Amino acid sequence: MLAVEMTGDAVKAKNGSMVAYDGQMDFKKLSGGGEGIRGMVTRRITGEQMTLMEVKGHGTCWFADRASEINLVSLQGDKLFVESSNLLATDSGLRTGTSFTGLRGASQGNGLFTTTIEGHGQAAIMSDGPAVVLRVSRQYPLTVDPGAYIAHQGNLSQSFQSGVTFRTFMGEGGGEAFQIRFEGDGLVYVQPSERNTIAGEV
């Protein structure tokens, strides 16, 4: 659970994630993930769904979602890429957006999009179990199962490659399985469990 103390300031949080508060709070639903009409249109086109609310007031507000672990990420003018389902809350001054991250797979040809957060402040991201932060360097690229991927930041490029996952090896997968390969210099956040993806293949 995330406790946020407010003295007249505001936070943006996943719609419906407030579990309790004391003091005086005002709640407002944000259109298009807080980016207005343009953001709403972008999200409808890309399929990246994220509904946020703005919470403003004096007192303490508690946020949670499905008893997920919560990880705080500090941003110093850089950008964080995060799966929309893993975003819990951000400081109100952080900007949210949508970014194209690549192609889903050669056979499908569909685009993948992810939520971006940038500016100065903190973002709270969720994980199913304690998140692990993995360093990527130019000498050591990293390959991640898309079901375990949460977020990444830094000067990283990503590509999608077909490959055999453990679930495919055990006969539990179907269709085209692939992994996400990160190269460059930065951090990748992964969780110790996998979301339900389409055959290991988001």
Side-chain angles (χ1 to χ4, degrees), residues 1 17 19 21 26 34 63 73 86 88 109 125 127 139 141 143 191:
M1 193 174 297
S17 62
V19 294
Y21 71 89
D26 292 318
F63 301 95
V73 179
N86 292 98
L88 179 63
I125 60 176
S127 58
Q139 296 85 2
T143 302
Q191 61 185 6

Side-chain angles (χ1 to χ4, degrees), residues 12 35 73-82 87 90-99 115-123 152-153:
K12 291 186 287 189
E35 306 134 39
V73 179
S74 294
L75 298 177
Q76 304 297 326
D78 49 332
K79 183 183 290 189
L80 176 72
F81 296 81
V82 59
L87 177 60
T90 74
D91 287 336
S92 61
L94 291 173
R95 299 180 302 278
T96 56
T98 305
S99 176
T115 295
T116 59
I117 305 167
E118 58 184 319
H120 291 80
Q122 286 191 316
H152 74 273
Q153 65 185 131

Side-chain angles (χ1 to χ4, degrees), residues 51 95 133:
T51 305
R95 299 180 302 278
V133 185

Side-chain angles (χ1 to χ4, degrees), residues 101-172:
T101 59
L103 292 178
R104 204 177 279 239
S107 65
Q108 295 172 307
N110 295 326
L112 287 178
F113 296 83
T114 191
T115 295
T116 59
I117 305 167
E118 58 184 319
H120 291 80
Q122 286 191 316
I125 60 176
M126 299 178 292
S127 58
D128 186 3
V132 176
V133 185
L134 302 174
R135 164 68 66 180
V136 180
S137 67
R138 301 194 185 282
Q139 296 85 2
Y140 297 99
L142 179 71
T143 302
V144 177
D145 187 294
Y149 167 79
I150 302 172
H152 74 273
Q153 65 185 131
N155 186 22
L156 293 175
S157 64
Q158 63 185 100
S159 58
F160 298 90
Q161 59 185 26
S162 297
V164 179
T165 64
F166 288 115
R167 284 183 296 163
T168 304
F169 182 74
M170 298 300 292
E172 298 175 5

